[in-house]
C-alpha cells in the first residue's frame, strides 16, 4: 500500500532550486545525500544543472518512469504540475507547497480544485502544506527536514509540520530511530487512516506514533485502527480539545459531550493508546519499540536507594501494574547474596553500596521468576558502582530475557554514558521512575486489548415502522423535539420498559388514572414547552392517595402557569411510581467526526453537576457497554454498598445497546436523553421514566 511513496525506484523533485536558501534545494539535497538508491530527477524550467545533476524542464521530458513526484512550486502552479503527472503516469505525489486551505477561503478553493484534478487522474497525494516524507529503510528523505532520522522501528505521522521538525531534532539527540516519518499537512487526500494501514504492512515498523489535531473520517479511522492494533501498537497524542460545541447542545447528553470525549471513546474502542503529552508519547514509544509486552501485571522494582523505590511503588499503585510480593524461593535466592540490610520485598532495595555484581545477580534472579512479568531497574549514582558497568550488565542479561526490562537511571552528568549504552541496545532509560511506570502501564493495557476475545454485538427486534411514523409526523409539524408521549413511543418501539402513564386534563381524571395505575404514583406536567419539569415545580412523586393527587395536580399546573405562562399545558401525566430505582442517565449525542455517541452516567437532576459519565461511539459492543458502566466513579453504588441490593447491571447494559441500535438505525436522532432510567434491584430490569429525543431531517 502506498509503495511508491515509501519505496519508489525513481523520484522527481519539481521546483528543484539552485539556491541553497530555497526549500526546492533542501529537498533535492536530502534526496541525494542519504544514499537513496533510486533515480532522482530535478525539475526546473530555468536550470540546466543542480548539485551536479542534469535538470529537466518538466516531468514529461524525463526519459524514464517516475514513481514519486515531490512538488515544491508556488501554490498556484501546483494544479498544472499535477496535470503533467497525469500525462507522465506518476501516481504518487507529495505536495510540499503551502498556500492552500490553511490560508483561508481562496486557498481552500485552490485546494478543492487540486483535489478534484488529482482524483480525476487517479493520483494519490500527501499534503499539501507539509514537510515531506522519510523512509529510513529505502533511505528516502523526500522532505526539507534538517537531517535524517536514525533507522529504527517507530513509524511516525504528524498533522503539524513544525512538530515533525522538533521531533526529528529531539530523536537525533535521544538516539531514537524511525522506520517512517510522514508529515500529513492539510490531508487533502491521504490521511492518518491510510498512513496507519501502510505502516501496519511495513515490516520495519513495530510501533505507530501519531500527532493529530483532527480525524478525517472517524468510523473509517476506528475500523482501520482496530485492525492495525491487533498486530501493532498505535500511540497517538490528540491536541485541540475544546468544549465549544457542547455549549450549543440543549440536552444533558449533548451538554456533557465534547469532541474530546469522542476521541477518548474512539481511541478506547479501537485499541489506540492515548498519550496525554509529547513527553509521554515518546516515553511510550521508546518502550513499545524496544521491549516485549509484559505477560501480566506483576512488576519487580530493583533499586539501590529507598526514595526512588518508594516513588516507583507509588506510581505503580496508581497504575494497573501490581507490585507482586516476592515469593519465598525467590526471596531465599536473593538473601543468599544480598546483605542483611537489603530488602527482598518489592521494591527490592539492594542498598546504597550496591555494586555491579549485586545488580547483576539480583536482576538474574528476578528475570527467572515467571510471576514477575516486568522489571524496572532504578539507579542513583553512588561511589560504589559505575552506572556504565551496570548498564552493560543489563544489556547482557536482556539478550535472553522474555519480559520487558525498563530502567530509570536518575541524575545526569554521571549517568549520561550509561543511558547511551542502554539506548544503543534498545533498553529504555527514563529520567524518572514515574515515566517508566506509565510506559509499562500502557504496554500492559495494550496487551490486554490484544488478548481480548472478539467483540460481541447484539441486534434487537424493533418496530422501526412505528419509529418512522412518529418521526415523519414530527417533521411534518416542523418540530425537532419530540413531546414526551412521542418519545415514549420510540422507546417502546425499541423495547424499553416504561412506567404505566396516563395524561389527565382534570383532577378528576388524574384521580381516576391514579386509581387504575395503583398508588403510589407520580404526577408531572405534560407540556411540549417545559423542558426541565422539576426545575419548574412540575413534578410530584410519592403520591399515596386521592387527596395528594388532587393537591399535586393543582400545585403543578399553577407552578407552570406562574413560572412559564406561555407554556401550552396538555394536562398532567399520572405515572406509576417506580420504587427502589437507582437513577442513571443514558443518552445519544452526535459527534462531528465519529458520528453517534452513547453516554452513560449517574442520572437524575444533578447529572450536569456530578458529570460522572462515560462515552462510547455507536455501534456499541457488549464489551464496550460493560466497560462504560464500570468506568463511572459511582459504579460501586450500583453494585450496592453498605448492604444495599445490587442494581440490575444487565438492565443498564440492555438499555445502552438498544439506544446504540437506535442511534445507528436513525441518523436523524441528533440527541436523546433517558433521564432517569430507573434501575431496579438485580433481576428486575430498568425503567425509562423520562425521555427526550431531538431529531433533524
Ligand atoms: N415514575 C417515576 N418513578 C419514580 N421516580 C420518578 C418517576 N418519574 C420521575 N421520578 C423522579 O422525579 C425526578 C424528575 O422527574 P423527570 O420526569 O425526570 O423530570 P425532569 O427531568 O423533566 O425534571 C426524576 O429524576 C426521579 O427522581
Ligand atoms: Mg428527567
Amino acid at each position: 500500500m502506498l509503495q511508491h511513496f515509501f519505496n519508489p525506484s525513481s523520484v522527481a523533485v519539481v521546483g528543484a532550486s539552485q539556491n541553497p536558501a530555497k526549500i526546492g534545494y533542501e529537498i533535492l539535497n536530502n534526496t541525494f545525500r542519504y544514499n537513496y538508491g533510486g533515480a532522482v530527477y530535478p525539475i526546473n524550467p530555468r536550470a540546466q544543472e543542480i548539485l551536479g545533476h542534469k535538470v529537466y524542464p518538466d516531468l514529461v521530458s524525463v526519459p524514464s518512469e517516475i514513481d514519486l513526484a515531490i512538488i515544491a512550486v508556488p501554490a498556484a502552479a501546483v494544479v498544472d504540475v499535477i496535470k503533467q503527472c497525469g500525462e507522465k503516469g506518476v501516481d504518487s505525489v507529495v505536495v510540499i507547497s503551502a498556500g492552500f486551505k490553511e490560508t483561508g477561503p481562496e486557498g481552500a478553493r485552490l485546494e478543492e480544485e487540486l483535489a478534484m484534478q488529482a482524483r480525476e487522474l487517479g493520483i494519490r497525494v500527501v499534503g499539501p502544506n507539509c514537510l515531506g516524507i522519510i523512509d529510513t529503510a529505502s533511505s528516502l528523505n523526500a522532505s526539507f527536514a534538517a537531517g535524517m532520522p536514525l533507522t529504527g522501528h517507530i513509524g511516525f505521522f504528524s498533522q503539524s509540520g513544525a512538530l515533525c521538525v522538533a521531533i526529528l531534532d529531539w530523536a537525533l539527540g535521544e538516539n531514537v530511530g524511525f522506520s517512517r516519518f510522514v508529515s500529513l499537512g492539510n490531508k487533502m487526500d491521504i490521511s492518518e487512516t491510510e498512513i496507519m494501514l501502510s505502516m501496519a504492512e511495513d515490516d520495519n515498523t513495530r510501533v505507530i506514533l501519531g500527532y493529530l489535531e483532527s480525524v478525517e473520517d472517524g468510523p473509517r479511522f476506528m475500523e482501520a485502527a482496530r485492525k492495525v492494533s491487533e498486530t501493532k501498537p498505535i500511540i497517538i497524542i490528540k491536541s485541540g480539545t475544546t468544549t465549544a460545541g457542547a455549549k450549543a447542545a440543549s440536552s444533558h447528553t449533548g451538554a456533557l459531550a465534547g469532541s474530546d470525549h469522542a476521541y477518548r471513546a474512539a481511541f478506547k474502542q479501537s485499541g489506540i493508546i492515548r498519550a496525554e503529552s509529547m513527553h509521554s508519547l515518546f516515553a511510550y514509544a521508546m518502550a513499545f519499540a524496544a521491549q516485549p509486552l509484559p505477560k501480566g501485571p506483576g512488576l519487580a522494582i530493583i533499586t539501590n536507594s529507598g526514595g526512588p523505590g518508594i516513588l516507583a511503588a507509588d506510581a505503580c499503585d496508581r497504575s494497573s501494574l501490581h507490585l507482586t510480593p516476592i515469593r519465598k524461593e525467590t526471596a531465599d535466592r536473593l538473601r543468599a547474596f544480598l546483605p542483611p540490610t537489603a530488602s527482598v520485598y518489592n521494591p527490592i532495595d539492594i542498598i546504597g553500596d550496591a555494586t555491579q555484581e549485586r545488580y547483576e545477580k539480583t536482576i538474574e534472579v528476578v528475570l527467572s521468576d515467571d510471576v514477575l512479568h516486568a522489571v524496572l531497574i532504578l539507579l542513583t549514582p553512588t561511589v560504589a558502582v559505575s552506572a556504565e558497568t551496570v548498564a552493560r550488565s543489563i544489556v547482557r542479561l536482556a539478550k535472553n530475557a522474555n519480559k520487558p526490562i525498563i530502567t530509570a537511571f536518575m541524575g545526569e552528568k554521571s549517568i549520561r554514558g550509561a543511558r547511551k549504552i542502554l539506548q544503543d541496545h534498545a533498553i529504555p532509560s527514563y529520567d524518572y521512575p514515574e515515566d517508566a511506570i506509565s510506559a509499562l502501564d500502557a504496554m500492559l493495557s495494550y496487551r490486554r486489548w490484544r488478548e481480548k476475545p472478539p467483540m460481541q454485538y447484539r441486534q434487537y427486534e424493533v418496530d422501526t415502522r412505528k419509529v418512522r411514523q412518529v418521526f415523519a409526523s414530527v417533521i411534518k409539524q416542523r418540530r425537532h423535539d419530540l413531546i414526551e408521549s412521542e418519545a415514549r413511543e420510540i422507546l417502546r418501539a425499541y423495547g424499553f420498559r416504561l412506567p404505566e402513564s396516563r395524561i389527565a386534563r382534570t383532577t378528576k381524571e388524574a384521580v381516576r388514572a391514579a386509581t387504575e395505575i395503583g398508588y403510589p404514583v407520580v404526577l408531572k406536567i405534560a407540556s411540549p414547552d417545559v423542558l426541565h419539569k422539576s426545575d419548574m415545580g412540575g413534578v410530584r412523586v410519592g403520591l399515596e392517595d386521592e387527596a395528594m393527587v388532587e393537591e399535586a395536580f393543582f400545585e403543578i399546573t399553577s407552578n407552570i402557569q406562574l413560572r412559564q405562562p406561555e407554556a401550552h399545558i396538555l394536562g398532567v401525566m399520572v405515572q406509576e411510581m417506580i420504587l427502589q430505582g437507582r437513577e442513571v442517565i443514558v443518552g445519544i449525542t452526535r459527534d462531528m467526526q465519529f458520528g453517534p455517541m452513547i453516554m452513560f452516567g449517574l442520572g437524575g437532576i444533578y447529572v450536569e453537576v456530578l458529570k460522572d459519565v462515560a462515552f462510547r461511539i455507536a455501534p456499541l459492543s457488549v464489551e464496550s457497554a460493560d466497560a462504560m458502566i464500570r468506568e463511572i466513579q459511582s459504579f460501586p453504588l450500583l453494585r450496592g454498598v453498605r448492604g444495599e441490593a445490587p442494581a440490575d447491571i444487565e438492565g443498564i447494559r440492555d438499555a445502552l445497546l438498544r439506544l446504540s441500535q437506535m442511534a445507528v438505525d436513525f441518523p436523524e436522532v441528533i440527541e436523546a436523553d433517558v433521564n432517569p432510567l430507573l434501575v431496579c434491584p438485580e433481576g428486575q430490569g430498568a425503567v425509562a421514566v423520562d425521555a427526550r429525543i431531538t431529531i433533524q431531517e
Side-chain angles (χ1 to χ4, degrees), residues 252 533 605 675-676 690:
H252 295 304
K533 302 178 285 294
I605 51 179
N675 181 24
D690 181 26

Side-chain angles (χ1 to χ4, degrees), residues 372-648:
L372 303 171
H373 305 113
V375 186
L376 170 58
I377 303 162
L378 307 177
L379 180 142
T380 43
T382 66
V383 288
V385 69
S386 123
E388 290 184 22
T389 57
V390 175
R392 287 200 196 89
S393 296
I394 295 172
V395 169
R396 212 175 27 256
L397 291 167
K399 284 211 177 75
N400 308 318
N402 61 357
K403 58 185 82 173
I405 299 177
I406 306 266
T407 68
F409 281 29
M410 296 168 77
E412 184 52 41
K413 192 162 153 301
S414 57
I415 52 113
R416 204 175 288 145
R419 257 204 208 127
K420 179 135 185 12
I421 293 167
L422 292 165
Q423 278 163 348
D424 287 354
H425 294 86
I427 309 277
S429 179
Y430 298 93
D431 299 354
Y432 307 104
E434 295 85 350
D435 294 342
I437 296 274
S438 77
L440 277 170
D441 195 21
M443 291 172 92
L444 179 62
S445 51
Y446 175 62
R447 169 139 213 154
R448 288 184 170 151
W449 162 267
R450 289 241 308 237
E451 287 175 348
K452 265 208 261 220
M455 300 220 242
Q456 301 164 57
Y457 290 86
R458 280 199 198 152
Q459 193 65 20
Y460 296 92
E461 278 290 308
V462 297
D463 184 354
T464 46
R465 203 178 49 75
K466 180 76 198 166
V467 175
R468 254 187 226 101
Q469 256 173 19
V470 174
F471 286 172
S473 97
V474 172
I475 296 284
K476 206 156 139 241
Q477 297 165 41
R478 299 187 179 291
R479 284 189 291 124
H480 292 291
D481 292 311
L482 275 60
I483 57 172
E484 194 145 353
S485 55
E486 290 162 339
R488 287 164 53 81
E489 285 200 63
I490 304 299
L491 292 185
R492 190 175 291 117
Y494 268 85
F496 279 80
R497 230 178 90 203
L498 302 167
E500 246 193 281
S501 306
R502 310 230 194 314
I503 295 275
R505 273 170 291 275
T506 63
T507 41
K508 213 156 157 248
E509 278 181 19
V511 169
R512 194 181 323 125
T515 315
E516 285 164 11
I517 290 171
Y519 289 99
V521 294
V522 173
L523 250 61
K524 306 178 184 185
I525 191 71
S527 159
D529 308 317
V530 181
L531 284 187
H532 301 295
K533 302 178 285 294
S534 318
D535 303 2
M536 307 304 278
V539 179
R540 289 284 177 277
V541 299
L543 309 172
E544 301 287 353
D545 56 36
E546 289 190 20
M548 287 177 87
V549 167
E550 283 168 358
E551 194 194 329
F553 186 101
F554 176 71
E555 265 178 28
I556 284 175
T557 46
S558 42
N559 279 344
I560 302 303
Q561 279 153 356
L562 205 65
R563 297 181 197 174
Q564 214 177 325
E566 76 294 348
H568 175 50
I569 298 180
L570 305 169
V572 299
M573 165 104 80
V574 182
Q575 198 170 73
E576 166 200 359
M577 173 136 184
I578 306 297
L579 303 169
Q580 290 187 294
R582 310 280 167 87
E583 302 214 11
V584 301
I585 178 170
V586 292
I588 299 175
T589 180
R590 247 162 233 281
D591 179 77
M592 300 282 282
Q593 261 108 12
F594 293 98
M597 196 155 69
I598 305 298
M599 183 185 85
F600 168 70
L602 206 63
I605 51 179
Y606 304 119
V607 62
E608 289 195 38
V609 182
L610 299 169
K611 293 196 169 65
D612 184 12
V613 289
F615 292 89
R616 292 293 188 278
I617 311 289
L620 277 192
S621 66
V622 173
E623 294 78 12
S624 291
D626 284 344
M628 63 195 297
I629 295 171
R630 280 166 176 68
E631 196 172 284
I632 64 165
Q633 281 178 21
S634 32
F635 173 65
L637 296 180
L638 293 172
R639 255 211 306 240
V641 287
R642 318 298 302 267
E644 265 181 343
D648 193 317

Side-chain angles (χ1 to χ4, degrees), residues 6 133-141 148 179-181 202:
F6 300 110
I133 62 173
I134 297 173
D135 184 291
T136 55
S138 61
S139 303
L140 173 72
N141 185 335
M148 181 74 168
S179 52
R180 286 186 179 168
F181 208 86
D202 173 34

